[in-house]
């Protein structure tokens, strides 16, 4: 699968993040909105990177779990 297709799929799956691939071939994602203090305390990151799209997706899923926390989704829609 082409990297453009991977980018599009991940972007659809994680609409609160901007996804891109660097010239060096690393995969990156950065959040659209700043983190709260509580999210930072939980270990949430503003920007993450990975070697390939699968690893980026794994990290994005982990970040989603962290940012949702015990109170439910970060946007308040539980």
């Amino acid at each position: 699968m082409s990297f453009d297709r991977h980018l599009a799929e991940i972007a659809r799956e994680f609409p609160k993040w901007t996804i891109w691939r660097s010239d060096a071939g690393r995969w990156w994602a950065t959040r659209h909105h700043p983190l709260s203090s509580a999210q930072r305390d939980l270990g949430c990151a503003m920007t993450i990177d990975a070697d390939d799209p699968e690893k980026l997706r794994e990290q994005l899923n982990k970040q989603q779990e962290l940012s949702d926390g015990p109170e439910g989704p970060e946007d308040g829609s539980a």
Side-chain angles (χ1 to χ4, degrees):
M1 182 183 309
S2 74
F3 77 88
D4 286 335
R5 186 158 179 170
H6 280 294
L7 283 172
E9 285 182 3
I10 296 171
R12 275 192 302 275
E13 202 173 323
F14 299 93
K16 295 179 182 178
W17 294 79
T18 298
I19 313 297
W20 75 97
R21 185 171 178 244
S22 71
D23 291 342
R26 301 249 340 132
W27 291 77
W28 294 83
T30 193
R31 293 177 190 268
H32 292 177
H33 302 288
L35 293 168
S36 67
S37 296
Q39 288 170 321
R40 284 192 303 275
D41 290 346
L42 289 170
C44 294
M46 206 47 212
T47 302
I48 57 175
D49 68 313
D51 292 330
D52 58 53
E54 291 79 21
K55 287 187 174 88
L56 183 65
R57 186 177 274 117
E58 288 173 18
Q59 287 195 50
L60 285 163
N61 280 318
K62 287 178 189 174
Q63 286 293 310
Q64 187 65 45
E65 290 172 15
L66 286 172
S67 63
D68 286 352
E71 286 82 40
E74 64 181 304
D75 64 4
S77 62

